[in-house]
């Protein structure tokens, strides 16, 4: 019997991806222009937006009043920058989540970790951010 994949199967709608093969001169120019990351914007997938929206709802329901920029962008399905994608990755890579803790997955008594995890898009957000990073850092080889 084949083992089921550990990572959930996700379907993402890609709205636009721009591929360019940069020459060494282009790479220096892009590196010098730090606003390049701000020009590239991506729309979060629907599952990411829904998770962030649910997290914000729970956060506000249980007394949270602060507005967080990235969760707000994700929940509203607004375009986000590549720099924001890397912040999402940093969040997931630098935090440990105990899915067995009391309140994980329960809307009536949610744990703060579960709410924060939802606000960043849950597993969908983490997977999406990793995919975007892989695409951005992939080497494109041209046939000789």
């Amino acid at each position: 019997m084949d083992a089921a994949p550990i990572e959930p199967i996700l379907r993402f709608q890609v709205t636009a991806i721009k591929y360019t093969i940069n020459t060494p001169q282009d790479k220096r120019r892009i590196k010098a222009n730090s606003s390049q990351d701000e020009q590239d914007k991506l729309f979060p997938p629907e599952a990411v937006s829904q998770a962030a929206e649910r997290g914000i709802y729970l956060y506000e329901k249980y007394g949270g009043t602060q507005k967080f920029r990235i969760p707000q962008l994700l929940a509203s399905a607004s375009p986000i920058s590549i720099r924001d994608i890397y912040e999402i990755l940093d969040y997931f890579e630098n935090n440990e989540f105990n899915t067995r803790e009391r309140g994980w997955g329960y809307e009536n008594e949610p744990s703060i970790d579960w709410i924060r995890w939802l606000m960043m898009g849950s597993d969908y957000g983490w997977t999406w951010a990793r995919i975007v990073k892989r695409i951005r850092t992939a080497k494109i080889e041209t046939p000789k």
Side-chain angles (χ1 to χ4, degrees):
M1 180 182 341
D2 293 333
I6 295 174
E7 198 168 297
I9 297 173
L10 303 174
R11 294 185 181 138
F12 296 111
Q13 180 180 3
V14 177
T15 55
I17 296 178
K18 177 178 71 173
Y19 289 103
T20 58
I21 300 174
N22 296 322
T23 65
Q25 294 83 10
D26 291 336
K27 289 181 182 180
R28 283 193 294 273
R29 181 182 46 80
I30 289 169
K31 201 175 219 181
N33 183 3
S34 63
S35 66
Q36 178 70 25
D37 283 346
E38 295 305 316
Q39 293 173 2
D40 295 336
K41 300 280 186 171
L42 298 168
F43 290 90
E46 187 176 339
V48 175
S49 295
Q50 289 174 349
E53 190 173 357
R54 183 178 181 195
I56 291 170
Y57 166 77
L58 291 172
Y59 174 75
E60 291 173 349
K61 178 180 178 181
Y62 290 99
T65 57
Q66 189 174 358
K67 299 291 183 194
F68 298 101
R69 187 180 61 80
I70 292 178
Q72 293 292 334
L73 291 172
L74 292 174
S76 65
S78 298
I80 64 173
S81 70
I82 298 303
R83 185 172 292 152
D84 294 334
I85 294 288
Y86 285 110
E87 283 187 44
I88 293 169
L89 281 172
D90 284 344
Y91 171 77
F92 284 110
E93 291 170 357
N94 294 319
N95 290 285
E96 291 184 21
F97 304 103
N98 181 2
T99 59
R100 294 183 179 165
E101 82 175 320
R102 183 171 182 244
W104 189 276
Y106 295 103
E107 289 198 26
N108 293 335
E109 295 180 36
S111 69
I112 189 65
D113 285 341
W114 183 56
I115 291 173
R116 289 173 46 225
W117 176 80
L118 283 171
M119 288 173 64
M120 292 302 275
S122 72
D123 284 337
Y124 299 116
W126 190 22
T127 303
W128 175 61
R130 287 185 306 198
I131 289 169
V132 169
K133 181 180 178 182
R134 280 189 212 145
I135 291 171
R136 295 251 325 152
T137 59
K139 291 184 179 180
I140 299 174
E141 295 184 18
T142 57
K144 292 182 179 185

